[in-house]
Amino acid sequence: MITFKEEMIKPCEIEFKPTNKCNLKCLHCSTVSDINNRDLLSTGEVIIILDKIFKMNVERLLITGGEPLIRKDIKYLLAYARRNFKGTINLITNGTLIDQDMALVLKKNVDAVSISLDGYDKESADFIRGNGVYDRVIDAIYNLKEVGFDKETIDLTMVSTSQNFNHEDEFYSLCEKLGVTGGVRQFFAIGRGLANFHRIGIKDLEETREHLECQTTCTAGVNKIMINEKGDLYPCLILGSEEYKFGSALYEELSDIFSRLEVNNSFYSNKDLLEESCMKAKPYLKRLLWYAE
């Protein structure tokens, strides 16, 4: 059962996706990221949002996408964040754009890097993410380790599906061989994940949902907030529809959004709908997000 504490929103972690553009087209992508998507926030607008995040004194900033490294201004934005943010900066990436030069940029500006692989070998990873992605991710890991990232600061993740469920041991063995921390992430049946669930080995979503029991206390919307590529605030990626929108980080102060009574009321008064939405979006396996603790 998912429970929500009835208290004011006091985020310690903010996930910010400055782009929904991506150089890959993964079968299970919940955000439907695509190379043809355009950046909706200018450099200046991203800076405005970052400044508002910094004023909140949160502990962790997660920069994600889409593929955040695809932005032409990403080196400037990362350096700006490092200069002005006192907390931990974590980057979530597909890893394919981390050459030696980018690895140096990341070492100067972020505390940890999480790379999605979604497989335990070349065949399984490339099936989900595209031909050649496995090799590029392995190269990215070596580039990161050469500049000083280690097992505690490189995280390799795999979305668990029926296709790879029986190969988790092989995935963790790969992580051990590479000297990185491994994590199995949950499949979300939204976006391309919903359109392609048969291709990735999910046979019956409804049957899986009937047997799903969420064993964790969700803090989305309380301790964790997501800001999307438009600058809009939501409890999390899964609850990213208009009915759960908190406000705009571009046009409002975050402190004003979090302190508005009507925001809290509208969020917490609809617990049954929230739980139903989460259950529909989380039809498979474990809740092991690398940044959850």
Side-chain angles (χ1 to χ4, degrees):
M1 176 69 69
I2 299 173
T3 60
F4 297 87
K5 296 179 180 180
E6 297 198 20
E7 58 184 36
M8 297 295 288
I9 298 174
K10 299 176 182 178
C12 62
E13 176 179 286
I14 293 182
E15 180 177 0
F16 179 30
K17 48 182 296 187
T19 183
N20 198 36
K21 190 173 184 177
C22 186
N23 57 324
L24 301 184
K25 198 170 184 177
C26 301
L27 291 178
H28 67 325
C29 181
S30 56
T31 60
V32 197
S33 301
D34 189 273
I35 192 65
N36 294 313
N37 293 342
R38 65 185 183 87
D39 290 336
L40 301 177
L41 296 171
S42 67
T43 301
E45 289 172 330
V46 172
I47 294 297
I48 289 173
I49 293 173
L50 286 175
D51 284 342
K52 293 178 180 179
I53 292 173
F54 302 155
K55 284 197 294 185
M56 294 301 298
N57 292 318
V58 297
E59 297 175 11
R60 292 180 297 278
L61 170 63
L62 277 62
I63 300 177
T64 183
E67 172 48 53
L69 298 184
I70 206 170
R71 282 193 64 117
K72 295 180 179 180
D73 56 2
I74 191 62
K75 294 180 181 179
Y76 172 79
L77 293 174
L78 290 176
Y80 183 85
R82 182 76 288 167
R83 288 196 307 271
N84 294 279
F85 183 57
K86 298 179 181 179
T88 299
I89 302 176
N90 292 351
L91 177 77
I92 302 177
T93 173
N94 63 38
T96 61
L97 302 178
I98 302 178
D99 55 17
Q100 293 178 328
D101 176 63
M102 181 56 71
L104 285 169
V105 171
L106 297 181
K107 181 58 180 174
K108 293 177 181 177
N109 298 301
V110 306
D111 297 287
V113 178
S114 178
I115 302 177
S116 304
L117 183 65
D118 300 323
Y120 53 93
D121 59 11
K122 181 177 176 61
E123 182 180 1
S124 59
D126 285 5
F127 173 72
I128 294 291
R129 300 201 144 245
N131 292 335
V133 171
Y134 177 85
D135 291 335
R136 294 168 71 181
V137 168
I138 300 302
D139 288 342
I141 291 172
Y142 287 137
N143 289 334
L144 290 171
K145 293 180 79 76
E146 283 183 5
V147 299
F149 284 94
D150 56 21
K151 185 174 183 178
E152 302 303 317
T153 54
I154 304 175
D155 191 82
L156 193 64
T157 67
M158 179 176 77
V159 169
S160 189
T161 68
S162 295
Q163 179 200 28
N164 59 34
F165 172 54
N166 292 323
H167 298 275
E168 287 189 13
D169 288 344
E170 294 165 74
F171 170 72
Y172 284 115
S173 294
L174 173 64
C175 293
E176 188 66 27
K177 178 181 178 181
L178 294 171
V180 301
T181 299
V184 177
R185 295 185 293 120
Q186 188 174 341
F187 168 77
F188 296 120
I190 56 178
R192 281 201 295 269
L194 181 59
N196 296 319
F197 70 89
H198 285 297
R199 293 183 62 189
I200 56 181
I202 307 296
K203 297 180 180 179
D204 191 328
L205 290 180
E206 294 303 324
E207 180 181 351
T208 308
R209 286 169 183 152
E210 290 177 1
H211 295 90
L212 176 66
E213 292 184 6
C214 186
Q215 301 295 331
T216 63
T217 299
C218 182
T219 60
V222 181
N223 301 121
K224 303 173 184 178
I225 299 293
M226 187 271 288
I227 301 176
N228 73 3
E229 68 275 12
K230 299 178 183 178
D232 294 334
L233 270 73
Y234 296 90
C236 65
L237 171 65
I238 304 308
L239 300 178
S241 58
E242 189 66 23
E243 61 191 305
Y244 303 121
K245 179 179 173 180
F246 283 176
S248 170
L250 186 58
Y251 300 110
E252 302 174 80
E253 291 294 331
L254 299 188
S255 57
D256 292 340
I257 295 174
F258 297 149
S259 63
R260 280 205 306 256
L261 180 62
E262 60 265 30
V263 170
N264 291 279
N265 284 341
S266 64
F267 180 60
Y268 292 113
S269 64
N270 210 0
K271 294 179 186 178
D272 292 338
L273 182 58
L274 284 169
E275 181 175 340
E276 180 182 354
S277 299
C278 287
M279 294 292 276
K280 286 183 178 180
K282 301 175 180 177
Y284 203 72
L285 297 178
K286 301 177 181 179
R287 184 185 180 90
L288 290 177
L289 299 179
W290 76 288
Y291 50 82
E293 297 300 329

